[in-house]
Amino acid sequence: MSERRRPWCGGQVVSDNLPDAVVFEPDEVNWKQHPVTGEWVPPKRQQAFLDFLSTPATLRDHPSQTAWAQANGVPADALKRWKKDQRFQNALWKRARNVLLDPQVLTDIFHYVSRSAMDEELSPSLRFKYLRTYLELVGEIGAGSGGNVWVNVFPTPVEQLSESELEAQLAALEREKNTIDAEVVE
């Protein structure tokens, strides 16, 4: 079942899977189970706080959680209770995940990582970390794989290199590997 929350609103949950889009209004005080999805929906004030936490810091109306609580008439200890509630944590995690899975955000991250992997001004070890992340993103290696990663870094296929060109390329790679190893040890 697919749902979408209107961004950064004190919002209604709208289900797109029903012919006439069922609008589900959250409760004022208690958590309520959604009749279609079965998911737990927080009370309106907690939703507003989730909206606040999900909003990038530069776009927030209030500089801190305490300021948000004062402006919304919520005791500061209530925020602590809410944040300890597993349902609240799950709702916050879901929102954060949805922001990260936004196609534009993923595209931006992907481009940043690929540009950084090729940035010659960065140290070889940092470029290697970006390269590894890039390969994880495109599915060439498993995330967090502990083994060695072999990447064809030759601009020309190895079969087309002369013996002297291949030796020069290997020597350059060995020098870069030693540089990377030295930086990692430091």
Side-chain angles (χ1 to χ4, degrees):
M1 302 270 167
S2 145
E3 287 187 345
R4 63 181 154 68
R5 181 168 310 283
R6 297 185 186 130
W8 304 312
C9 69
Q12 300 167 334
V13 177
V14 178
S15 176
D16 293 325
N17 292 337
L18 299 174
D20 296 324
V22 171
V23 175
F24 173 71
E25 193 64 35
D27 194 72
E28 291 291 332
V29 179
N30 300 312
W31 283 78
K32 193 170 154 183
Q33 199 165 18
H34 192 283
V36 177
T37 66
E39 291 184 25
W40 286 98
V41 179
K44 287 184 178 183
R45 279 193 175 172
Q46 288 187 38
Q47 281 200 16
F49 186 51
L50 284 165
D51 291 336
F52 170 78
L53 293 174
S54 302
T55 304
T58 57
L59 300 175
R60 291 180 180 168
D61 292 335
H62 307 287
S64 67
Q65 293 179 25
T66 306
W68 181 91
Q70 289 172 345
N72 289 279
V74 176
D77 64 324
L79 299 183
K80 290 178 186 175
R81 271 195 325 275
W82 294 351
K83 291 189 293 185
K84 287 180 184 178
D85 185 333
Q86 189 62 47
R87 296 172 298 188
F88 185 88
Q89 292 173 14
N90 292 344
L92 184 58
W93 174 247
K94 185 176 179 182
R95 285 179 183 223
R97 192 172 183 332
N98 287 340
V99 168
L100 291 174
L101 292 178
D102 177 87
Q104 185 57 49
V105 172
L106 284 175
T107 301
D108 292 345
I109 291 170
F110 184 78
H111 287 308
Y112 176 81
V113 168
S114 64
R115 277 191 313 271
S116 298
M118 295 181 281
D119 185 351
E120 293 182 7
E121 292 182 15
L122 297 176
S123 70
S125 62
L126 187 55
R127 288 177 58 205
F128 179 77
K129 289 176 185 176
Y130 280 115
L131 176 61
R132 182 181 202 90
T133 302
Y134 176 85
L135 293 172
E136 289 172 0
L137 288 171
V138 297
E140 289 298 317
I141 61 172
S145 64
N148 291 329
V149 178
W150 294 97
V151 180
N152 183 6
V153 293
F154 296 115
T156 307
V158 175
E159 303 83 36
Q160 295 177 7
L161 293 174
S162 69
E163 192 170 317
S164 61
E165 291 171 325
L166 183 58
E167 286 176 4
Q169 290 285 342
L170 289 172
L173 284 174
E174 187 62 32
R175 283 191 303 275
E176 187 164 342
K177 178 188 174 296
N178 291 339
T179 303
I180 290 171
D181 290 344
E183 288 178 3
V184 170
V185 170
E186 291 172 359

